Amino acid sequence: MGGNQSWVTEFILVGFQLRAELEVFLFWVFSLLYIFSLLANGMILGLICLDPRLHTPMYFFLSHLAVLDMSYVSNNVPKMLANLMSQRRTISFVPCIMQTFLYLAFAATECLILVAMSYDRYVAICHPLQYAVIMSWRVCMALAVTSWSCGFILSLVHAVLLLRLPFCGPREVNHLFCEILSVLKLACADPWINQVVILAASVFVLVGPLCLMLVSYTRILLAILRIQSGEGRRKAFSTCSSHLCVVGLFFGIAMVVYMVPDSSQREEQEKRLSLFHSLFNPVLNPLIYSLRNSQVKEALRRALQKRSM
């Protein structure tokens, strides 16, 4: 850290500033959701690892999504829960920067994993006869390693840019956790520097992957429309409907948080949306993929039958 950054050694996480009774209630609600998220994503990950019938490219990427959701929620929620039960809501400078780095890293990696999943669905629907050749395990591993590597490299670039900014006060982060936009507002630097960092985060983490997915799903839609039978179109669409739900939730919320013009009212809206993004999305993702996926439900049924025998 530079000399100017030593002026601030810790930040204060403002949070929602609710009544004590309501914060205790939210602590137990969020704790249950956090535990359920870990258990649900852990169940999906376990089923994919243990059931040979789920050893396919689609479920390979789904297992990475489950790992990301567990990591994502574990990075943000524990500190938020601790703050709900404490009046001293401080976080040291280094843990705050680490939380920002991991938040961006997991978010960027999830974006790219979702892109890989959309490519998998594109190949399955548009090139079914060549699917096994195109989506070989070598290709799947390359896509996964690239997603994780690019996600963490992009986040590292943003963290380095953030560390180069001087922080001399104020110390209050108007958020539930150390999120990059809220931390950037506390930097004692020219506004244009902050805007460059924000624009870079928006373009690399959101716009690029979203454009790639739009291309994939445009070609998927055209391929589905060319299918003659209604039953064939229904089956083709069902193979990517769960993924579309997850993509819509993830990118819809992220675009509102990062690409809507700044305002005082937006800050409170951003807190609520970030809470949904950090806590509810990791809960909903395994539910979407398990409730709407017959193969996952069958794998769960087989696992329960083996356990009861």
Side-chain angles (χ1 to χ4, degrees):
M1 291 181 287
N4 287 338
Q5 290 172 342
S6 64
W7 297 356
V8 172
T9 58
E10 63 180 17
F11 295 108
I12 299 170
L13 295 170
V14 174
F16 283 128
Q17 295 183 307
L18 304 171
R19 298 193 315 272
E21 300 83 4
L22 184 55
E23 289 189 340
V24 171
F25 173 74
L26 290 177
F27 170 83
W28 290 109
V29 172
F30 293 164
S31 295
L32 290 173
L33 288 172
Y34 175 52
I35 293 170
F36 180 81
S37 172
L38 294 179
L39 291 175
N41 282 289
M43 180 197 73
I44 293 287
L45 183 61
L47 287 175
I48 293 171
C49 291
L50 296 174
D51 195 321
R53 300 184 194 185
L54 299 183
H55 292 175
T56 63
M58 184 176 105
Y59 295 104
F60 171 76
F61 292 121
L62 181 56
S63 68
H64 283 267
L65 187 64
V67 171
L68 281 165
D69 281 339
M70 288 190 288
S71 303
Y72 197 70
V73 75
S74 296
N75 179 54
N76 300 330
V77 175
K79 183 61 178 176
M80 184 180 69
L81 293 175
N83 287 343
L84 285 172
M85 299 298 288
S86 173
Q87 295 300 315
R88 190 173 184 275
R89 302 179 176 183
T90 59
I91 182 170
S92 299
F93 183 85
V94 173
C96 183
I97 298 301
M98 279 301 299
Q99 191 177 58
T100 303
F101 165 72
L102 291 174
Y103 174 78
L104 281 173
F106 294 137
T109 304
E110 185 159 343
C111 284
L112 296 172
I113 288 292
L114 290 173
V115 171
M117 294 175 76
S118 70
Y119 178 69
D120 172 70
R121 293 300 84 204
Y122 158 72
V123 175
I125 292 173
C126 299
H127 303 283
L129 298 179
Q130 292 85 34
Y131 179 78
V133 176
I134 297 174
M135 295 304 296
S136 65
W137 283 113
R138 192 173 185 177
V139 171
C140 292
M141 286 297 298
L143 288 172
V145 170
T146 301
S147 297
W148 283 91
S149 301
C150 289
F152 273 77
I153 290 170
L154 287 172
S155 181
L156 182 62
V157 170
H158 292 129
V160 169
L161 290 173
L162 190 63
L163 285 168
R164 290 173 61 86
L165 298 175
F167 289 90
C168 51
R171 299 187 305 141
E172 291 188 345
V173 179
N174 190 18
H175 212 282
L176 303 166
F177 50 88
C178 287
E179 186 269 339
I180 188 167
L181 296 184
S182 300
V183 175
L184 275 171
K185 292 173 184 176
L186 306 184
C188 306
D190 294 333
W192 72 268
I193 298 177
N194 295 3
Q195 294 301 321
V196 167
V197 178
I198 294 170
L199 181 62
S202 299
V203 170
F204 284 113
V205 178
L206 287 176
V207 178
L210 186 58
C211 289
L212 291 173
M213 275 189 285
L214 285 174
V215 171
S216 292
Y217 276 105
T218 299
R219 300 186 71 172
I220 287 172
L221 180 61
L222 293 174
I224 291 175
L225 292 176
R226 284 197 294 267
I227 297 174
Q228 298 297 319
S229 67
E231 180 66 16
R233 282 195 296 268
R234 187 191 65 78
K235 285 183 178 180
F237 183 75
S238 68
T239 63
C240 55
S241 58
S242 297
H243 184 249
L244 278 172
C245 292
V246 171
V247 167
L249 283 171
F250 185 90
F251 281 92
I253 295 171
M255 290 183 72
V256 172
V257 170
Y258 290 102
M259 305 188 79
V260 171
D262 199 9
S263 67
S264 58
Q265 185 179 5
R266 194 194 79 109
E267 288 184 349
E268 292 304 312
Q269 182 188 43
E270 183 185 318
K271 290 181 192 177
R272 293 190 290 269
L273 288 173
S274 295
L275 176 65
F276 190 93
H277 212 259
S278 301
L279 184 59
F280 292 97
N281 255 17
V283 174
L284 291 174
N285 285 352
L287 290 177
I288 291 170
Y289 277 108
S290 60
L291 293 177
R292 295 178 60 87
N293 193 301
S294 59
Q295 287 180 292
V296 172
K297 287 187 284 188
E298 280 295 312
L300 179 60
R301 183 182 60 79
R302 287 193 296 270
L304 293 175
Q305 284 178 345
K306 286 180 182 179
R307 189 174 180 85
S308 62
M309 290 175 63

